[in-house]
Every structure is written in structure tokens, then in C-alpha cells.
Amino acid sequence: MDEEVVAVRRGAARSVVTGLAGLAGAVGLLCAAPGAAAAAPEADVAYHGRVALARGELRVWLVPWNEGPSELPDSTVRLRLSAELADRQDLAAGCVRAGAREVVCETGPLPRHGQGRHIGLVLGLKEPVPEVVVRIDTWWDGGAADRNLANNQHAVLALDTGDTYAF
């Protein structure tokens, strides 16, 4: 994992944008109670959604779920593409570009046994390609223990046909 993950906390997408200010805040949270051992919440984050690729445009719709047993105040989902993103993107609120092929989005609060906010993205690619692999995973979860990573790590192959592929 990259060192940048340290900068991500509640308000995760905004922290990536604020750079060093976010890092300072995260360090402050880590140092706030030296010696205090807080038990990490246990959650089972999952993602369900679909992707479609047509003429250099990738559409992604996903819903984060928390199967419990604890609620999460926030987490961050990461989408990594096998193709480069166009230079300019009009991203949904709570989402930021994290690299030439990556976007991260806040999920919002994840209630126990409930869903977070629906995330819809239309991502322009740098150039049209016949296919794109979209990898979806949790980038940050507030330190929660997640014993079932199988439902929050997906790799979806989308062909440039306009067809929808579910995960």
C-alpha cells in the first residue's frame, strides 16, 4: 500500500486533495491518545454495481454495503483502470482522481447491515480502447477489521460494446 493511505481518514476524498494538511490531521488523530488501545470495529464491506464501456467512456455505478456487525462512519472505495483516464474528469461529489488510472470515492456512513450512498461515475478515457479492466476495492475503512475481503475486491472486464457488466 502507498504511504498516501495515512492521509485518508473521515472525509477521505477531501484529505487526498488537501495533501499535507490531511496528513497532519491524520497524524494528530494517531497521536491524540498515546497508549490508549481502542478496539477496531468489525465490519464486512461489500460492493455491488455495474460497469459499461462505450466509445472511450466508462460508466460505473456502485453501491457500498456493510454486512456488519458494526457501523462505519465512512470508508473509501478505489477504482483502478487498465487504461489511462482523460486529463479532465467531471467526478461525482466525494470522488477524486488519485493517479493516471485511479479514482477514489467516499462511501459516506455505512450503517450496520445497510448501504452507503450510491456512486455514479462517467469516466473519460485518454483514448478509446477495446476493453478495460476495472478493479474495485476498499482503499480505507477507518481501521475496521474485515474478515471477508472476497466481497469488496472485484476485477471486471468491460468490452467496448456498451454492454453492462455486473459485480
Side-chain angles (χ1 to χ4, degrees):
M1 230 181 234
D2 296 333
E3 291 181 33
E4 291 178 279
V5 175
V6 175
V8 182
R9 62 188 192 300
R10 182 166 167 78
R14 289 183 297 277
S15 294
V16 172
V17 175
T18 58
L20 291 177
L23 180 59
V27 171
L29 287 174
L30 292 173
C31 298
E42 184 176 339
D44 183 10
V45 177
Y47 303 107
H48 305 286
R50 57 186 182 263
V51 299
L53 176 64
R55 298 176 303 282
E57 186 175 87
L58 180 71
R59 295 180 178 270
V60 180
W61 179 83
L62 67 89
V63 179
W65 284 83
N66 178 10
E67 302 299 332
S70 301
E71 65 181 36
L72 290 177
D74 203 359
S75 70
T76 307
V77 61
R78 174 175 58 178
L79 292 94
R80 292 177 291 155
L81 311 180
S82 63
E84 284 195 38
L85 292 162
D87 292 336
R88 297 183 63 90
Q89 299 290 328
D90 186 18
L91 299 174
C95 296
V96 296
R97 187 173 177 161
R101 299 176 181 205
E102 284 186 42
V103 172
V104 294
C105 297
E106 291 181 294
T107 63
L110 293 176
R112 187 172 67 99
H113 303 295
Q115 66 182 11
R117 70 182 185 96
H118 294 215
I119 300 169
L121 298 167
V122 178
L123 302 171
L125 301 180
K126 192 167 210 105
E127 57 188 54
V129 294
E131 64 186 35
V132 171
V133 175
V134 182
R135 297 185 188 284
I136 300 122
D137 62 1
T138 300
W139 196 41
W140 176 83
D141 62 6
D146 189 339
R147 297 171 201 253
N148 180 13
L149 298 179
N151 58 4
N152 67 355
Q153 297 177 350
H154 304 283
V156 183
L157 174 65
L159 304 177
D160 186 12
T161 59
D163 293 331
T164 300
Y165 300 90
F167 58 91

